[in-house]
Amino acid sequence: MNTPAQDPIHAQGDLFESGARFSIDTSFETARRFALDDHSWIEIVPGWMSGASLLYEQMRSRVPWLEHDRRLFNKVFREPRMTATYPDLADVPEQGLLQAVRALSSHYGVTYDGLWMNLYRNGQDSTGWHRDHRSCRKSECIVPVLTLGTTRRFLIRPIKGGSSMTFKPSSGDLVVMGGRSQQDWVHCVPKEPGIAGARISVNFMSTAQGVRDRP
């Protein structure tokens, strides 16, 4: 892991339209790492991004969110969420996201060069148990996920079954899955019908991690 910088990154320009201050804690001072097993871990970084509400509002209006249909067992159903992707960072309009990419790449020693995002419009939207194959095809990866907007539960459990661990990241919090967490574990964002607010999750992808290890 690279040695993090000590000064926070500050985004300028239209991110300050409301007068609030946007910053990213490049020291990762609040990070707490939990061992999932001998080869997998998850790290929670509370308050990693300050002024996250500004970025959230920008993304709600600027990102080209889409709904998708999926076929399963000869039936077609609509995914209970909206998604967007930026395979090329040159297309990302939000400077705050580019600041986040640079901070994460420096701290974890991984070149993040793409974004995959989910928009959960309310508590009826969800994601089932899954692994992030878009972000990780190697035996070990580091996959950061940034939460913006409403707090939602995030669950992770062994792929072969067993008890799950539950986290509740708030807006500006970072969840980082590392080691073999994408091979031996699955995670989800379950439905919470009582929640009316929306949540955006930003998954930071690396082309290098998306290539399988050679036998």
Side-chain angles (χ1 to χ4, degrees):
M1 184 181 299
N2 288 1
T3 301
Q6 297 302 312
D7 294 326
I9 294 174
H10 301 288
Q12 304 293 333
D14 61 358
L15 211 53
F16 281 97
E17 286 176 356
S18 69
R21 187 185 187 201
F22 176 90
S23 66
I24 291 172
D25 180 15
T26 57
S27 72
F28 288 72
E29 184 178 6
T30 63
R32 293 176 292 162
R33 183 169 295 194
F34 303 86
L36 300 173
D37 57 32
D38 290 342
H39 307 287
S40 310
W41 52 268
I42 188 168
E43 190 164 89
I44 310 298
V45 192
W48 181 69
M49 179 180 287
S50 299
S53 60
L54 297 171
L55 182 57
Y56 168 82
E57 293 297 338
Q58 286 185 346
M59 292 179 64
R60 280 299 304 267
S61 60
R62 296 182 184 178
V63 170
W65 300 106
L66 296 173
E67 293 181 296
H68 297 278
D69 291 333
R70 179 175 293 188
R71 179 176 294 276
L72 183 65
F73 302 124
N74 294 321
K75 293 184 178 181
V76 176
F77 69 95
R78 179 144 297 182
E79 293 181 341
R81 60 190 172 277
M82 300 185 78
T83 61
T85 182
Y86 287 112
D88 187 346
L89 293 180
D91 297 327
V92 175
E94 292 79 17
Q95 289 300 310
L97 286 178
L98 298 178
Q99 301 274 5
V101 167
R102 290 193 288 270
L104 292 167
S105 297
S106 175
H107 182 72
Y108 289 107
V110 176
T111 300
Y112 296 104
D113 50 13
L115 302 174
W116 170 268
M117 297 170 289
N118 289 310
L119 169 60
Y120 303 92
R121 292 158 290 190
N122 52 50
Q124 295 292 344
D125 279 358
S126 62
T127 299
W129 293 105
H130 69 285
R131 295 178 291 170
D132 290 330
H133 289 298
R134 288 176 175 269
S135 304
C136 175
R137 295 182 185 273
K138 293 189 175 297
S139 59
E140 294 193 5
C141 294
I142 299 177
V143 180
V145 181
L146 173 65
T147 287
L148 300 170
T150 300
T151 299
R152 291 285 299 269
R153 289 190 298 154
F154 175 92
L155 279 63
I156 187 167
R157 74 179 186 194
I159 195 169
K160 295 182 178 179
S163 300
S164 62
M165 296 179 67
T166 301
F167 300 92
K168 297 184 70 174
S170 299
S171 191
D173 292 354
L174 192 68
V175 175
V176 185
M177 293 169 280
R180 288 187 55 85
S181 60
Q182 298 296 333
Q183 302 297 326
D184 301 337
W185 292 71
V186 290
H187 55 278
C188 76
V189 176
K191 293 183 184 299
E192 297 185 71
I195 291 180
R199 171 188 184 252
I200 294 174
S201 65
V202 183
N203 185 312
F204 296 83
M205 300 189 300
S206 165
T207 300
Q209 290 188 153
V211 178
R212 295 184 186 278
D213 291 322
R214 293 184 178 181

